[in-house]
Structures are given as C-alpha cells and as structure tokens.
C-alpha cells in the first residue's frame, strides 16, 4: 500500500516540495499535508532500512522538482535582463543583435552620390554551459531524518545549479566590459554619488524605464549611507532604509542586491566583489536546453544512495553589451 501511496503523492512534486519545506522550517501543516508528510517520511525511512528503491522514486522526484523549480520557474532578475526560452537537447541557434542605426547622413550635392553606410546587424552564438551535481544520501540519514534528508538534498541541488548559472552570466558580463564610458572607476572601497550618478545617467540614456543596478548587499547598504544622499530620499525610502538598512532604488534605477551569504559550494560569490553592475533593459537571450536527468543507484558497502543530477544545460547570448556599465572599486 505504501508504494502505491508514494507513487500517487510524488506525481505533484511541487506540493511535496512545499510540504517538505514547511516541515523543515517548522511551519504548521494542514491535516492533508500531514498525511502526505507521513507517507513520504515512512517511504524514505523504509529505503534507509532496506537499501532499496525499486521504482527509483528518489530520482524521479528530484528530476521533476528541479525541472519545475529551476528550468520552468520564473527568475525575476534573469527574466528582466534576458529574453528567456528553451530549446531541444540537440538543438542550437544564433541570436541576432538589436539593430543599431549606423546609417550616415552625408552632406551632398543635389543629384550626387555619397559613401554607402549600413545597419549594424550581427549574429551572436550563445555560450553553452553544462552543470552537474553528484552526491550521496546515507542510509543512516534516511532512517534518522526520513524525507527531510531528501528535501534538503533537493533544496541544495536547486541552489547549487541556479547559483552556478547566475555566476556564469555575471562573470561573462564582467569580462566583457574593460573600459570606456561603461567602466566607472572609484578610488576607494565604497560607492560615491558621483559614480552612482554616472551609472544612472549611462543607463537612463539607453532604457530609462527598465534600468537596474545589481550588487552585493553591502553596497546597497553603503549607497544609502553616501554623504548627502539621505537628503534626497523620499519619505518611504527613508522608512525602508531605516527598517532594512538597504536602498532599493537610485533615481530611475532599481537596485537588486545579492546577499554575500549566498555562495556557491566552493565559496565563490554569485557576482564579482568590488563592483556594481548597471543593466538597461534586456541585453540578450538565455535558453535552457533539453531536460535534466537524475540517476540513482545503491552502494550497500558504503550504505548510501548515489545521486547524479546531470544535463543542467543553459546557453546565453549577450547581444547588447553596450546596455551594461559597471562601477569598479579600486581601493
């Protein structure tokens, strides 16, 4: 009976995932959610006792959940700066840059000819990345913590894959901007009004309604403490800053702050330190490729379930890098 119940409840991986998170964070459950949690807990503990998962339900649950939570779920920041989509596992494509008006109006005599000029259209091939996570769940952990051990693995795998994608995107953006008006140097370790004004003006000239600055949270806090800036805040901004210690906007530019506590498993930050990135509108395309695959087998000698999350593949093409600028702290 237990096998049938598990197969039924696991069909809705989002609901099971949400219930697992409630259990993990000690949030109240409805009577129906309690029944689902009990079924999942008994199932996980039985695997820890027997070292056997006949229908590979762990792998099936992980695949459905990660597919929904990372592949198919909206991501507010990445959706804001990229046209998002998906392609088949064996497909590829080329992105086309936004047409730039490079036509030149020369002075000419009536009836005369001038040099030809052309509209700038460039094809851009995406950068493809393939990420993979491999780990174990011990039988002891399954017997002790039941479904919590699988829920934790799901949460951490989701975070690891999404964080890696975020890191790859911003590392590429960072490397693409090396000088000119797009690079604003600050001889210190904190933002200044002069630098923030320059960043906001650069973005506003390109897309005034859709500009956003992306930075670590410590810089969002430092922006609110810049000398003289507090006087320019609205009443609501002052209230929010006094309550949370962060600034969510500067002029017509929104501010998206990333916590330094959110790191990759190797300790790397999600975006480069000592920088504030400004992005005006969308700068390219980003596509998920195919579907993930999750493999599960058992090592009874080590008393562990081996888990492999593979084929987390994404590609991004930056077609409008001129819509990005950055502040660099050189102190």
């Amino acid at each position: 009976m237990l096998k049938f119940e598990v197969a039924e409840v696991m069909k809705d991986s989002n609901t099971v995932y949400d219930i697992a998170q409630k259990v993990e964070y000690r949030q109240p459950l409805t009577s129906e959610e309690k029944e689902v949690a009990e079924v999942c807990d008994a199932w996980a503990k039985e695997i820890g006792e027997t070292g056997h998962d006949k229908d590979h339900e762990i792998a099936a649950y992980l695949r459905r959940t990660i597919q929904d939570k990372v592949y198919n779920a909206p991501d507010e920041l990445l959706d804001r700066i990229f046209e998002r989509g998906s392609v088949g596992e064996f497909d590829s494509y080329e992105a086309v840059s936004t047409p730039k008006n490079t036509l030149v109006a020369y002075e000419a005599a009536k009836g005369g000819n001038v040099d030809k000029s052309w509209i700038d259209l460039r094809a851009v091939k995406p950068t493809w990345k393939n990420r993979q996570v491999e780990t174990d769940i011990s039988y002891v952990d399954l017997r002790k913590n039941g479904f919590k051990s699988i829920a934790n693995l799901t949460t951490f795998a989701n975070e690891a894959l999404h964080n890696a994608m975020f890191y790859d995107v911003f590392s590429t953006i960072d490397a693409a901007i090396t000088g000119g008006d797009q690079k604003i140097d600050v001889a210190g370790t904190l933002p200044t009004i002069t630098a923030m004004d320059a960043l906001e003006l650069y973005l506003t000239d390109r897309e005034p309604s859709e500009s956003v600055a992306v930075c670590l949270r410590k810089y969002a806090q430092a922006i609110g403490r810049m000398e003289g800036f507090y006087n320019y805040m609205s009443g609501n901004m002052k209230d929010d800053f006094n309550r949370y210690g962060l600034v969510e906007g500067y002029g017509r530019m929104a501010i998206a702050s990333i916590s330094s506590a959110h790191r990759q498993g190797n300790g790397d930050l999600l975006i480069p330190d000592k920088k504030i990135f400004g992005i005006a509108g969308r700068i390219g395309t980003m596509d998920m490729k195919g579907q993930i695959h999750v493999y599960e087998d058992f090592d009874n000698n080590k008393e562990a379930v081996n888990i492999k999350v593979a084929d987390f593949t994404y590609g991004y093409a930056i077609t409008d890098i001129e819509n990005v600028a950055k502040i660099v702290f050189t102190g």
Side-chain angles (χ1 to χ4, degrees), residues 87-106:
V87 297
E89 181 178 4
F90 306 107
D91 295 338
S92 191
Y93 71 97
E94 284 188 345
V96 178
S97 63
T98 303
K100 307 297 187 299
N101 187 359
T102 47
L103 297 178
V104 179
Y106 294 101

Side-chain angles (χ1 to χ4, degrees), residues 153-287:
L153 171 61
T154 307
T155 299
F156 295 153
N158 272 333
E159 289 180 358
L161 294 167
H162 184 271
N163 289 350
M165 180 168 64
F166 206 87
Y167 174 84
D168 285 338
V169 167
F170 276 89
S171 294
T172 301
I173 291 172
D174 186 29
I177 301 172
T178 58
D181 294 340
Q182 292 175 270
K183 184 170 178 284
I184 304 162
D185 292 324
V186 173
T189 59
L190 296 173
T192 65
I193 285 183
T194 300
M196 291 299 295
D197 282 348
L199 182 66
E200 197 243 352
L201 178 61
Y202 185 92
L203 301 183
T204 301
D205 279 346
R206 283 151 183 81
E207 184 57 66
S209 64
E210 294 290 338
S211 61
V212 60
V214 183
C215 61
L216 294 176
R217 194 157 290 169
K218 61 183 178 180
Y219 298 124
Q221 182 184 66
I223 290 169
R225 293 177 176 167
M226 293 186 303
E227 185 177 356
F229 179 59
Y230 193 80
N231 296 329
Y232 292 98
M233 289 185 185
S234 67
N236 289 337
M237 288 178 67
K238 289 178 180 178
D239 289 342
D240 288 343
F241 184 69
N242 291 333
R243 184 177 294 115
Y244 305 113
L246 301 172
V247 172
E248 296 183 352
Y250 187 94
R252 285 169 288 184
M253 177 175 63
I255 296 177
S257 59
I258 309 297
S259 172
S260 298
H262 294 166
R263 295 173 180 252
Q264 298 195 84
N266 61 6
D268 287 343
L269 294 163
L270 301 194
I271 62 174
D273 196 3
K274 297 186 177 181
K275 289 163 186 173
I276 297 176
F277 297 91
I279 303 171
R282 289 188 171 90
I283 62 171
T285 62
M286 185 172 193
D287 293 277

